[in-house]
Amino acid sequence: MTKVSMTVNGKAVSGEVEGRTLLSSFLREGLGLTGTHVGCDTSQCGACVVHVNGKAMKSCTVFAQDVAGAEICTIEGMANPDGSLSVIQQAFQDHHGLQCGFCTPGMVMSAAALLAENPRPTEAEVRHYLEGNLCRCTGYHNIIKAVLAASGQDVTKIAAE
Amino acid sequence: MPKDGGIGARTKRREDVRFLTGKGRYTDDINIRGQLHAHFIRSQVAHGRIRKIDTRDAEAMPGVVKVFTSADFAGAGGLPCGWQVTSRDGKPMLEPKHPVLAEGKVRHVGDPIAVVVAETLDQARDAAEAVVIDIEELPAVIDMKAAVQGGPLVHDEIGSNLCYDWGFVEENKAAVDEAFARAAHVTTLELVNNRLIANPMEPRVAVGDYEDHSGMHTLYTTSQNPHVIRLLMGAFVLSIPEHKLRVVAPDVGGGFGSKIYHYAEEAFVTKAAQVLKRPVKWTASRSEAFISDAQGRDHITRIELALDADHNFTALRCETYANMGAYLSTFAPCIPTWLHGTLLAGNYRTPLIYTNVKAVFTNTVPVDAYRGAGRPEATFQLERVIDKAARELGVSPVELRRKNFIKPDQFPYQTPVAVVYDTGNYHATLDKLLELSDYKGFEARAAESKKRGKLRGFGLAHYIEACGIAPSNLVGQLGARAGLYESATVRVNATGSITVFTGSHSHGQGHETTFAQVISEMIGIDASQVEIVHGDTSNTPMGMGTYGSRSLAVGGSAMVKATNKIINKAKKIAAHLMEASEADIELKDGKFTVAGTDKEKSWVDITLAAYVPHNYPLEDMEPGLEETAFYDPSNFTYPAGAYGCEVEVDPETGKVEIVAFTAADDFGNVVNPMIVEGQVHGGLAQGIGQAMLENCVYDENGQLLSGSFMDYAMPRADDLPFYRVDHSCATPCTHNPLGVKGCGEAGAIGSPPAVVNAVIDALHRGGFTHVTHIDMPVSPARVWQAIHG
Ligand code: FES
Ligand code: FES
């Protein structure tokens, strides 16, 4: 067991981990931040995406001790300071970009990273960027729409409401 | 315009806020103080005899509390099957035991053999390496036809791999054969409905808890139907009476059928918590989900369509082999029979239908319902054979369908396969589809594609499904061992807010929002005054849960029924308070008025009077305002629609791209169009996934080759287009109070044949007229081979 410290959603945290403890387990079990989900064991689904020093990362694919000292942001840290939904979260609700909600934390974190890199992505760019985030419920239609809307683009013309 | 928050409004979902902020409470988020962790040791071979299990070394390892084997479940029953199908010879299906942990033999890769329970999950996993299991590997049987032609027996004690041999409608068989003998044209098609894995994004989880002093068991589980699990596990497996067993399915991350069934892991953690007197938790890894969640589809079918000289369908004849896997999962036997054979009339007037279904045991993971369940299989074969017939006869597939449709004035329509369709207008959905997909402009688009070296094709499919499952007396006659009603308790609180306890379960469908819309509309109070509670057997009435597109049609109807009882009682109270006749009381916008007067009482005046009954007819009526209703549907509902897929095929590589997909559905009335469209989108993605990408493959030894997301191709954002969806051609259901039909499965039912029909169309337009069928998924390799075959 070694002790790791990092900043999570703006707060300094620390905990005991084994060498094999994944960041996703540290967040979920160690810190009780269960918004980060685990949907696979082959680094394919993206339910576990968080931001590490501002970059989207699959937290199931990083050991907790390897990100000691890093700034981590999880879904629990995405709302506005007053607790209201951020632009991206609000767009997901407005455009029904989630159903069961299990992929949603990873989707929101990936979408936020995309828009930070590319503030006005095309439909194809959004689809390509989210290729590592699986959703079994929505058929992606409303997720893509939500991300385009969050980037300030007009989505009223997109086929079907 | 629908009232904001009422029926028909695009109300945003209230559940989204918790999911978007990481505050959802899924089963794996539950950790109980003192909890232990379970790790399942599963068979790595598809078929074998267990010679010896030695757990001593493992039990001595750090943190290990106990290693369980089947010996620890000696007194427990097998996992029960909820449906009995009868063979053509009148004999009941063969029903071998499905033990919680393997007894004597393992029968599929993933079959659980032993379970290590330890203080931490890592300790349990480490100790699993030290459990010595000696298995004599036996030849496995994977191919269904080989299984019934003398292949190795999956279950020695039943003496056969043929679970049942079902004929429907058996009395029609001779007449069907005769119609074929007379037919002007017969089209025949052999096809495979590929095996799929549901893969909800949340893997299954079960947490067992036990209270020694009271004998109370609690199971938290990822289930679509907690009451069903309580009944099956309590009564048949562990002998726990209902009042000592609470089953909770909190937020559940998708199900698509795979979370209907009672699984071994649920019984395991419940029992282990009692034995060890500590909570026990199990969370599936995705790799485990691939070999332990019930899988879907897997039919091999030969279908024949007979037509007369005028191209009227005169008879249909099918033979299907349906894979059951190694054990009968909870509802497995009814999927290829009653949810499949009864749908073979489709949208057409075919007067004579006969189908034979042979259900087969193989050394593979059990197969059960997956989104659509039987109905996608029926739709796929029917819509493919009709397309093939049109091509053989040189007529338009659109017109051949239209010619044979049940006409709008023929409803209610008695099909030759037992069911009676209450309403529908297939001509309308077809016309709507052709308009929305700009069918007229297709030739121009095809010409443009051709210039770029691509082959463009248009594929049409119509579907009908039987949803709103199901009339209990009918399904009882058909072999169901359960009723299929739904329930609701509507509790009006003293100051007028309402809590609804529903037996339905939401795992993505948004009931917390839509059910509140219905109540808001009926009573005229704001939807924010209504809370919907589901998922916990300790506070909801016995209900059958959510599957088969039944929540609103059956669960919603129960809620409407209970709310009508509330309204009737509230009117009596209002009549008393306003000294008027009950018949003159009207409820509108949350106010009670007396017809022809200006007397008025608010909703809250009445609810307060019910709970503070100072001025109240106590001699005639009980105080309080709470009602429960059970609703048993009198018929299935029959959503139907027309789907159009436009593809571009690259003849050089065989790669297929979906360039447009349009759906025109008839769901009857709609409570929240936004949610309905979302359900269709999700269904389409799964249907397109089946048609283009997904395939569950075993090798000849029963090893699952598609055992992870690296090998099982889940549809991703860049595989799919934006969809055009429409539900304006509504013919409301005639027999439920909301006139709703259900929309959850439609997309997955109608889309696979539309995709394959489009690919075949593209190839024919490119001159590859020798290609009459390609099995799903229509991968580039298969398309290329077909072109060059
Ligand atoms: S859990 Fe990290 S990619 Fe699936
Ligand atoms: S909303 Fe259920 S997996 Fe995406």
Side-chain angles (χ1 to χ4, degrees):
Chain A
M1 288 287 210
T2 44
K3 186 170 165 172
V4 292
S5 302
M6 58 189 85
T7 307
V8 178
N9 301 330
K11 282 198 208 86
V13 298
S14 57
E16 296 282 319
V17 298
E18 287 187 52
R20 62 181 163 180
T21 305
L22 299 169
L23 177 58
S24 51
S25 326
F26 180 64
L27 293 169
R28 289 183 55 80
E29 318 301 333
L31 303 179
L33 294 173
T34 54
T36 297
H37 293 157
V38 175
C40 74
D41 46 8
T42 53
S43 197
Q44 291 278 314
C45 77
C48 62
V49 170
V50 299
H51 295 172
V52 177
N53 296 327
K55 291 254 177 299
M57 237 184 222
K58 289 180 168 170
S59 65
C60 73
T61 313
V62 205
F63 293 118
Q65 62 179 24
D66 290 349
V67 291
E71 293 265 353
I72 312 285
C73 179
T74 71
I75 188 70
E76 286 91 345
M78 287 302 280
N80 295 324
D82 67 355
S84 61
L85 297 181
S86 66
V87 171
I88 295 174
Q89 289 169 316
Q90 190 59 57
F92 269 72
Q93 185 185 32
D94 291 348
H95 297 282
H96 190 29
L98 63 153
Q99 291 182 21
C100 78
F102 198 80
C103 71
T104 308
M107 284 289 179
V108 169
M109 299 313 284
S110 289
L114 164 65
L115 295 185
E117 276 171 36
N118 179 358
R120 275 182 85 79
T122 62
E123 178 201 336
E125 285 169 340
V126 179
R127 288 189 184 275
H128 184 70
Y129 194 92
L130 294 181
E131 196 257 356
N133 288 80
L134 293 175
C135 174
R136 195 54 151 167
C137 296
T138 64
Y140 302 102
H141 184 108
N142 285 338
I143 291 178
I144 308 301
K145 204 168 154 184
V147 177
L148 291 171
S151 75
Q153 303 185 61
D154 178 11
V155 295
T156 50
K157 298 253 153 47
I158 290 173
E161 278 306 306
Chain B
M1 266 298 276
K3 194 161 61 65
D4 187 35
I7 290 179
R10 306 179 73 87
T11 307
K12 288 177 202 167
R13 299 199 326 167
R14 51 176 68 181
E15 39 278 85
D16 289 357
V17 177
R18 68 176 188 272
F19 296 142
L20 281 163
T21 53
K23 302 277 162 45
R25 191 169 184 254
Y26 299 88
T27 312
D28 192 44
D29 302 340
I30 295 170
N31 292 299
I32 308 173
R33 189 196 296 271
Q35 127 193 319
L36 298 164
H37 296 265
H39 177 80
F40 279 72
I41 302 174
R42 299 176 183 278
S43 179
Q44 295 178 1
V45 300
H47 196 192
R49 205 171 302 287
I50 303 171
R51 287 203 192 104
K52 197 176 93 192
I53 304 174
D54 187 343
T55 63
R56 281 168 302 179
D57 289 352
E59 278 182 311
M61 287 187 52
V64 174
V65 177
K66 183 171 166 62
V67 181
F68 290 80
T69 65
S70 65
D72 297 292
F73 284 83
L79 305 176
C81 179
W83 204 295
Q84 181 183 292
V85 168
T86 304
S87 285
R88 296 172 60 197
D89 61 7
K91 295 209 179 88
M93 67 185 190
L94 298 180
E95 199 175 350
K97 184 176 179 187
H98 185 180
V100 176
L101 297 176
E103 292 171 359
K105 256 173 87 164
V106 287
R107 296 185 174 86
H108 65 87
V109 169
D111 209 357
I113 303 170
V115 191
V116 183
V117 179
E119 297 290 340
T120 71
L121 185 55
D122 284 335
Q123 288 170 333
R125 282 189 188 135
D126 289 346
E129 304 285 327
V131 176
V132 180
I133 297 176
D134 180 11
I135 290 184
E136 173 198 352
E137 193 170 347
L138 300 170
V141 63
I142 306 305
D143 180 82
M144 285 193 270
K145 290 188 179 165
V148 291
Q149 287 160 8
L153 288 177
V154 178
H155 297 271
D156 309 271
E157 69 280 11
I158 57 173
S160 169
N161 290 327
L162 184 62
C163 175
Y164 57 74
D165 181 358
W166 182 76
F168 183 69
V169 175
E170 200 58 34
E171 300 78 68
N172 287 351
K173 189 172 186 302
V176 169
D177 291 344
E178 200 181 305
F180 270 90
R182 277 199 318 267
H185 183 86
V186 173
T187 296
T188 305
L189 182 61
E190 295 193 15
L191 52 84
V192 173
N193 204 290
N194 43 330
R195 187 188 275 234
L196 301 175
I197 301 178
N199 275 322
M201 291 319 299
E202 178 203 32
R204 287 188 299 116
V205 183
V207 186
D209 195 9
Y210 180 67
E211 212 176 63
D212 202 17
H213 62 87
S214 64
M216 186 73 193
H217 300 258
T218 303
L219 168 68
Y220 300 89
T221 182
T222 47
S223 176
Q224 301 177 212
N225 30 244
H227 279 284
V228 174
I229 302 306
R230 182 174 71 156
L231 181 64
L232 294 180
M233 183 176 81
F236 298 99
V237 186
L238 299 179
S239 305
I240 305 170
E242 284 101 321
H243 70 299
K244 292 294 181 192
L245 176 57
R246 173 183 172 209
V247 178
V248 186
D251 285 331
V252 172
F256 316 112
S258 70
K259 292 174 181 167
I260 297 172
Y261 324 116
H262 174 40
Y263 285 99
E265 296 86 357
E266 295 171 320
F268 176 80
V269 297
T270 305
K271 169 91 174 167
Q274 181 183 17
V275 171
L276 302 174
K277 308 230 181 329
R278 286 176 67 182
V280 177
K281 180 174 187 173
W282 168 77
T283 300
S285 67
R286 180 61 61 183
S287 301
E288 245 181 321
F290 270 99
I291 52 173
S292 67
D293 290 4
Q295 302 178 346
R297 316 279 194 262
D298 204 353
H299 286 190
I300 300 175
T301 292
R302 177 188 163 89
I303 180 168
E304 298 164 283
L305 176 66
L307 300 96
D308 68 15
D310 294 328
H311 302 166
N312 295 304
F313 302 164
T314 55
L316 189 73
R317 190 163 57 189
C318 323
E319 184 189 26
T320 289
Y321 287 81
N323 208 332
M324 296 285 106
Y327 302 100
L328 290 179
S329 174
T330 311
F331 288 114
C334 82
I335 312 304
T337 51
W338 300 110
L339 290 181
H340 172 243
T342 51
L343 271 299
L344 285 169
N347 310 75
Y348 310 100
R349 298 189 312 273
T350 318
L352 287 163
I353 297 176
Y354 179 76
T355 183
N356 171 237
V357 178
K358 297 180 180 74
V360 182
F361 290 112
T362 60
N363 291 114
T364 60
V365 172
V367 179
D368 207 325
Y370 166 61
R371 201 171 195 165
R375 293 151 290 173
E377 295 90 322
T379 305
F380 185 71
Q381 52 182 295
L382 191 56
E383 292 299 306
R384 282 291 301 122
V385 82
I386 292 171
D387 237 56
K388 186 167 184 242
R391 253 170 241 295
E392 287 172 356
L393 296 167
V395 300
S396 147
V398 175
E399 293 317 316
L400 184 61
R401 284 181 171 86
R402 205 194 300 268
K403 182 182 181 67
N404 283 281
F405 275 161
I406 297 162
K407 300 194 175 88
D409 61 6
Q410 288 182 300
F411 293 92
Y413 186 82
Q414 171 69 60
T415 71
V417 275
V419 288
V420 180
Y421 302 159
D422 60 342
T423 54
N425 187 340
Y426 312 142
H427 297 74
T429 45
L430 177 58
D431 289 343
K432 185 52 127 185
L433 174 87
L434 298 177
E435 173 205 323
L436 288 175
S437 55
D438 185 24
Y439 186 64
K440 284 206 190 83
F442 175 77
E443 293 299 339
R445 293 193 295 279
E448 190 277 328
S449 298
K450 201 165 182 182
K451 280 193 206 134
R452 288 183 286 108
K454 298 282 174 64
L455 307 176
R456 203 173 183 104
F458 183 88
L460 170 68
H462 248 267
Y463 75 89
I464 183 153
E465 49 171 332
C467 295
I469 292 172
S472 293
N473 54 6
L474 173 63
V475 296
Q477 287 164 24
L478 305 182
R481 291 162 170 165
L484 284 167
Y485 51 82
E486 197 46 84
S487 64
T489 295
V490 176
R491 176 178 299 162
V492 181
N493 302 305
T495 61
S497 67
I498 296 179
T499 313
V500 177
F501 301 88
T502 169
S504 296
H505 185 272
S506 181
H507 31 279
Q509 296 87 345
H511 298 165
E512 291 164 40
T513 301
T514 50
F515 280 28
Q517 286 179 254
V518 172
I519 298 272
S520 166
E521 179 83 27
M522 288 181 75
I523 295 183
I525 59 173
D526 197 82
S528 65
Q529 295 300 299
V530 185
E531 192 72 16
I532 307 296
V533 175
H534 62 93
D536 186 341
T537 60
S538 72
N539 59 15
T540 58
M542 170 81 176
M544 301 310 288
T546 290
Y547 42 81
S549 306
R550 71 191 298 275
S551 287
L552 192 59
V554 192
S557 297
M559 184 178 69
V560 168
K561 210 173 150 192
T563 306
N564 278 329
K565 291 189 196 176
I566 293 278
I567 291 172
N568 285 341
K569 185 170 176 185
K571 282 185 174 172
K572 285 199 176 78
I573 300 170
H576 174 84
L577 291 180
M578 294 191 275
E579 295 171 341
S581 147
E582 198 190 315
D584 292 337
I585 304 289
E586 286 165 7
L587 169 62
K588 195 163 179 279
D589 296 333
K591 287 195 190 70
F592 295 88
T593 52
V594 181
T597 75
D598 58 0
K599 287 187 188 170
E600 174 181 309
K601 287 278 176 196
S602 73
W603 170 248
V604 179
D605 291 335
I606 304 304
T607 64
L608 267 177
Y611 288 97
V612 188
H614 295 165
N615 175 14
Y616 193 92
L618 284 166
E619 57 290 353
D620 301 329
M621 230 179 357
E622 296 169 16
L625 204 46
E626 172 167 329
E627 299 287 351
T628 294
F630 285 76
Y631 175 82
D632 204 281
S634 59
N635 191 355
F636 293 89
T637 61
Y638 300 96
Y643 285 9
C645 177
E646 212 164 305
V647 297
E648 266 189 356
V649 178
D650 182 343
E652 300 293 318
T653 61
K655 189 169 179 334
V656 177
E657 189 191 344
I658 296 191
V659 288
F661 201 104
T662 310
D665 292 293
D666 173 2
F667 296 134
N669 295 333
V670 161
V671 170
N672 184 327
M674 176 190 82
I675 287 181
V676 165
E677 289 154 12
Q679 287 291 313
V680 176
H681 296 160
L684 291 177
Q686 291 184 1
I688 293 171
Q690 166 166 34
M692 307 254 307
L693 298 159
E694 298 178 41
N695 204 18
C696 172
V697 185
Y698 292 88
D699 73 9
E700 68 277 14
N701 300 317
Q703 292 296 329
L704 179 62
L705 300 180
S706 51
S708 81
F709 288 148
M710 322 253 255
D711 311 296
Y712 186 86
M714 293 277 281
R716 292 170 189 265
D718 57 359
D719 294 318
L720 296 165
F722 278 128
Y723 321 101
R724 243 182 255 124
V725 303
D726 175 273
H727 48 78
S728 63
C729 303
T731 60
C733 170
T734 57
H735 56 80
N736 65 40
L738 293 166
V740 296
K741 295 185 175 179
C743 64
E745 296 164 292
I749 293 172
S751 54
V755 173
V756 178
N757 288 345
V759 173
I760 302 295
D761 186 52
L763 296 184
H764 277 246
R765 286 165 182 276
F768 304 112
T769 49
H770 63 283
V771 183
T772 54
H773 179 67
I774 302 176
D775 274 325
M776 301 184 289
V778 285
S779 60
R782 285 184 176 176
V783 174
W784 194 89
Q785 268 167 5
I787 289 174
H788 295 276

